[in-house]
Amino acid sequence: MGKGGYTYIISNQRNTTLYIGVTEDLYSRIYKHKTNAFPKSFSARYNLDKLVYFKSFGSIEAAIDYEKYLKGKTRKFKEDLINKLNQIGMIHLTKSRSGKSAFILPPKTSF
């Protein structure tokens, strides 16, 4: 059995641009976005470092399929999906003292 995966959406601080991606390690991937590990990437060019949505899957293949599904949807659909998940606030990814990923929900922000 393979590793699970995540489909995620990141945005910039003004929520004007969205990026949809897939990864096996959500914490490490978001960290790379936040630190501009790849300076010529789409996410670095548009300052996309705010995690606004994620969904976990039992396999990376399922996460890739969902990524393709979301990429085919309208901006309105994606915003509604983000707002539905974030009814209580935006998602921020941090690392706990134990070294495990943790998701913190600060004050509400919507698109």
Side-chain angles (χ1 to χ4, degrees):
M1 183 173 179
K3 287 178 99 175
Y6 297 88
T7 301
Y8 65 92
I9 302 174
I10 57 175
S11 186
N12 56 6
Q13 292 304 311
R14 295 185 310 143
N15 298 327
T16 56
T17 305
L18 298 176
Y19 172 84
I20 300 171
V22 65
T23 185
E24 289 182 345
D25 183 349
L26 187 59
Y27 179 83
S28 294
R29 188 67 186 110
I30 298 304
Y31 181 79
K32 288 178 183 175
H33 286 297
K34 287 188 169 293
T35 59
N36 290 326
F38 304 101
K40 294 185 179 190
S41 68
F42 180 86
S43 63
R45 277 187 307 221
Y46 291 94
N47 299 311
L48 307 176
D49 66 354
K50 182 172 64 169
L51 180 65
V52 294
Y53 176 86
F54 74 94
K55 185 172 182 178
S56 63
F57 294 88
S59 72
I60 193 68
E61 294 82 11
I64 292 168
D65 288 344
Y66 190 63
E67 174 195 31
K68 291 175 183 176
Y69 168 77
L70 287 179
K71 285 183 174 181
K73 294 298 183 181
T74 65
R75 167 95 185 193
K76 172 85 168 89
F77 179 91
K78 295 167 197 169
E79 288 176 356
D80 289 346
L81 182 67
I82 292 164
N83 288 330
K84 184 177 179 182
L85 177 72
N86 293 326
Q87 288 177 3
I88 59 172
M90 298 301 288
I91 301 166
H92 289 272
L93 186 67
T94 63
K95 203 147 200 175
S96 67
R97 289 183 188 163
S98 67
K100 299 199 178 203
S101 299
F103 299 95
I104 298 172
L105 300 170
K108 183 178 179 177
T109 305
S110 63
F111 280 73

